[in-house]
Every structure is written in structure tokens, then in C-alpha cells.
Amino acid sequence: MRAMYYEQFGRLVSVAEVADPIAPEGGVVIRVAASGLCRSDWHAWAGHDDSVHLPHVPGHEFVGIVESLGAGVQNWRIGDRVTAPFVNGCGVCEWCRSGQSQVCPDQTQPGFTHWGSHAERVSIRGADLNLVAVPDSLTDDAAASLGCRFATAYRAVRARAHVLPGEWVVVYGAGGVGLSAVMIATALGARVIAVDRNPAALKFARRLGAEHGVEASDVTPAEIADVTGGGAHVSIDAVGSATTSADAVRSLRRRGRHVQIGLLSPDQLPVLPLDRILAWELDVLGSHGMSAADYPEMLDLVARGAVRPQDLLGAVITLEEGAALLPRMDHATSEGITVIRPTSG
């Protein structure tokens, strides 16, 4: 099959002919129709994730058709149109049994622990636990974000922050996951502020429902406090940097909740204002994707039109264009979610 491929961290990404994956016992091979290009792919390429082994094929959010079944798969058939959370649980640990496979200690992740979806095919283990049927109402390009950014944002906003109607929510970063958070928080009745360095991205966030778009600066937390009358109820760092994570916490009002979504580089670990966290009783929460068990509620909102992943779609590109763009994902500016179609036509 054709795939994006690299043999060294931080070096050349090419498109190469590589071996087809084989369906593991209990798993499947999926022919990829569309695969989202995400900043997390850049972290893998840069060598920030010790689960990645070379040579490597990146890509972890996708939609496609089940092409082959491993022994023991019960609930899926060849030809089913599916996605999967980027965290694939083992199905037997206490967290998977309780529906929390996003923190499975024996998790696998396409594009990290094994070859990923920036390719014509990808393998997924534990199909009966981890696969999710994709609604017919969503195109392949729109559905690609369901495996990572849209689902990650949904769980962060809904299940971790427990955003309520009328609350102020500030989202740092108007990339794919940040824009998803803007859309979802708005759908839940929150008043949303988007923060980004890119005016075009802020304009996009306004179209998705953000009341305010704030260009990031040294005084952003003070601006947020002024707009909201004392700070946001919820802050979300969808970028992942020492600056954005600390500023997001400083943007909260007393008793506020911060959710960290963006991954941080080893040299970008934040120094959080612990004095304020203690004195103001702030909650600092991590959020790591979403279990397949939690998808029905999100997909019900999609089916009712309350949220529209299709509105997040930005550029649609080829594998070759993706290979050129991946090394620049840490600083490239784009509007919406960039999607790779591994097969032309």
C-alpha cells in the first residue's frame, strides 16, 4: 500500500510503498477513505512520544471501510463504514470494563504504537470494543475528525469540564480541536471566547459561535477577565505549550475549571500558578480522547444537527501534500481541519 513514511525523527517524510497491515485476532483492517492531519502527528514525528518506533507511518484519526476481519470479531462485517477513537483499549482491564478505555494502561494507538492511517489501510485491534459506526449523513472528509479532535473536544467540554449553559468558556488555540471545542461549547449554551495568534483562525471561530476572538498576547488573561467580569468559568488549552497552559489557568475566575487537551513537548512543560490554583480553588483536569462507549451521545447531537463536524473542514490534500506539511505542523497556520485522502479519485 501507499503511505506517508519516515525512518528518522525530525527528518524527511516521504510517500512510499509499504507492507499491507494484517488484521490481528479480534481486530480488523480498514481501507482508509480520509485521515485527519493533526498536531499530534507532528509530536510523533518530532520524537516526543516514546511509544513510536521507527520506521513509522503516522495518522490516528480516520474513517474508512472494514476490509478484512481477524478471528473472533463478532459485531462487524466487511464493508461496514467505521471510525475508531485514537486510543484503542484492551477490553479486559478495569478501566475498559467500566467504559473508560481512553485511559487503558495497555492501550494501542494507530500512528503511535503501530502504523497509522496516513495510508491506504490501517489495522485496529479489539474491533468489538473500539470501532464506531459512522452516520451516513457525514461525508468521509467530515467524519475523519471523529476519531480524535472532535471526540476529544466533546469529552473535554461535556464530561470533564461539565460546561453549563451561560458559562464563559475560553479556548486557547483555534486549530482543529480548539474549533471543535468552540462549536461544542456553543451548542451546550456556553458563551465562548477563542484565543489564537492567527486572525483568520479567530474569524473561523466566530463563524462557529464564539462571541469573541482575542489575539494572543502577554495580557490575554487580563483581557479575558475584563470581557467576562472576573474570568472564565472554564478554560481549555487546545495548543499545548508552557505559555498557553499557564495563561489558560490565569484566565479563570475563582472556582474555575481548566482542561488540558493539547500535548506538550518535553521542553515546553508549564509552570502553573499553583498559588492561584490553591487560593482560588481551581480545578486542573486532563482529557485524553474518548472511549467508543461514549460516542452515541455525541453522534446523537450530530444526527440532530446540534453540532456539525462538516463545518470544521478545511483543506483536503493528498498523501504527498501531507508529507510536505507534517514537519511544519508545529507552526503552520490553517483554517479548519486538514484531511488527507490516501487514495486519489
Side-chain angles (χ1 to χ4, degrees), residues 98-112:
S98 64
Q100 302 296 327
S101 61
Q102 76 280 351
V103 293
C104 172
D106 190 30
Q107 64 188 248
T108 57
Q109 298 182 24
F112 296 92

Side-chain angles (χ1 to χ4, degrees), residues 40-53:
S40 299
D41 297 321
W42 176 84
H43 278 284
W45 168 81
H48 297 160
D49 191 315
D50 60 10
S51 71
V52 178
H53 300 286

Side-chain angles (χ1 to χ4, degrees), residues 103-164:
V103 293
C104 172
D106 190 30
Q107 64 188 248
T108 57
Q109 298 182 24
F112 296 92
T113 61
H114 64 284
W115 283 9
S117 59
H118 294 338
E120 293 179 324
R121 297 175 184 85
V122 65
S123 67
I124 295 295
R125 76 156 181 190
D128 290 337
L129 173 70
N130 295 307
L131 290 191
V132 177
V134 174
D136 292 338
S137 59
L138 287 180
T139 66
D140 290 333
D141 296 336
S145 67
L146 297 180
C148 177
R149 281 172 281 189
F150 196 78
T152 295
Y154 182 81
R155 187 168 183 275
V157 171
R158 183 75 163 179
R160 299 297 282 151
H162 297 288
V163 168
L164 298 173

